[in-house]
């Protein structure tokens, strides 16, 4: 419990560090949100009125203090364009991102665990070489290329899946494959390497000498110990999937927080950008915390301090 409280306490400086950096960077982006909202041909008086209403005429330092004070009190402000509360816009989109990320994670685990285990048990066999070749291929394909290719083949030519949007369970298949392919490739190689190290240990040899079945040795003794380093990668990659969903959601017009962030950047919607980054940062830190806790569950020898 003390470890969890300590990690949650560290959450605040980390999040505020990220937000301070984002606040400074987004104000360096060329373009005026008032011009985007009213158009460049609008009256100067109208622009000044709107700028004052949005408090964009305040010095940068004061804007930051207003923003930081709002975050502390749980008030993230209103969107500059829709005028709706930022927290409402984010909470409407976040479930779609979580759904897509979990689908990508499940797909990656379903592919990587069997492939990694089989490759380790049949090292240097034909299937092992094929598995590692496809793992290398998978990690080499960027989402911005793989996504459109899947759309052309399976949506445009075959008509099996919707091209874009969230229109039911079929519409999540292609975005999940796009997002999860890279992770499946990384995990396959990690599972294989970890299993190769574990199955050569003396306790595995002893288990075989006792006459235990191969299935029991692999699943109960080898896999459990091999999962410790894999969990590290899964935790880190889950956070990476949340960030990587920005590209995938944009390609497939998926109504998640990543697409919302891109729209906010295009319109210089400062409060919305900061709110999206805040949520992604908190999610990333919490996932790392859950990963650390999972260590002690998988391997009781690991103590959290």
């Amino acid at each position: 419990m003390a470890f969890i409280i300590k990690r949650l306490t560290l959450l605040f400086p980390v999040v505020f560090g990220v937000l301070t950096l984002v606040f400074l960077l987004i104000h360096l982006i060329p373009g005026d949100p008032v011009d985007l909202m009213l158009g460049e041909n609008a009256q100067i008086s109208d622009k000044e009125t709107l700028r004052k209403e949005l408090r964009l005429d305040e010095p940068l330092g004061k804007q930051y203090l207003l923003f930081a004070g709002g975050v502390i009190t749980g008030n993230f402000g209103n969107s500059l364009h829709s005028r709706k509360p930022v927290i409402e816009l984010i909470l409407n989109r976040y479930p779609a991102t979580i759904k897509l990320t979990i689908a990508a994670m499940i797909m990656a685990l379903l592919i990587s665990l069997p492939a990694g285990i089989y490759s380790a048990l049949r090292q240097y066999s034909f299937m092992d070489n094929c598995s590692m070749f496809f793992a290398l291929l998978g990690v080499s394909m960027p989402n911005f290329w793989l996504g459109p290719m899947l759309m052309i083949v399976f949506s445009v030519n075959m008509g099996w899946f919707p091209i874009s949007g969230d229109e039911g369970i079929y519409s999540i298949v292609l975005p999940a494959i796009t997002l999860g392919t890279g992770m499946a490739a990384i995990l396959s190689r990690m599972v294989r390497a970890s299993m190769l190290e574990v199955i050569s240990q003396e306790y595995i040899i002893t288990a075989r000498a006792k006459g235990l079945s191969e299935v029991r040795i692999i699943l109960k003794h080898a896999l459990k110990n091999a999962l410790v380093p894999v969990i590290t990668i899964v935790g880190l990659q889950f956070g990476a999937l949340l960030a990587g969903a920005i590209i995938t959601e944009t390609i497939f017009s998926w109504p998640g927080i990543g697409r919302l962030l891109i729209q906010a950047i295009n319109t210089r919607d400062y409060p919305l950008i900061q709110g999206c980054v805040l949520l992604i940062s908190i999610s990333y830190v919490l996932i790392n915390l859950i990963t650390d806790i999972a260590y002690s569950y998988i391997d009781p020898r690991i103590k959290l301090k």
Side-chain angles (χ1 to χ4, degrees), residues 25-56:
L25 288 176
I26 62 175
H27 281 79
L28 294 176
I29 299 175
D32 188 343
V34 174
D35 287 339
L36 293 173
M37 295 169 69
L38 298 180
E40 295 183 356
N41 297 325
Q43 296 292 328
I44 295 178
S45 59
D46 293 337
K47 291 183 178 180
E48 292 302 321
T49 301
L50 181 58
R51 187 171 285 108
K52 188 173 183 179
E53 180 184 343
L54 299 175
R55 309 193 74 166
L56 295 175

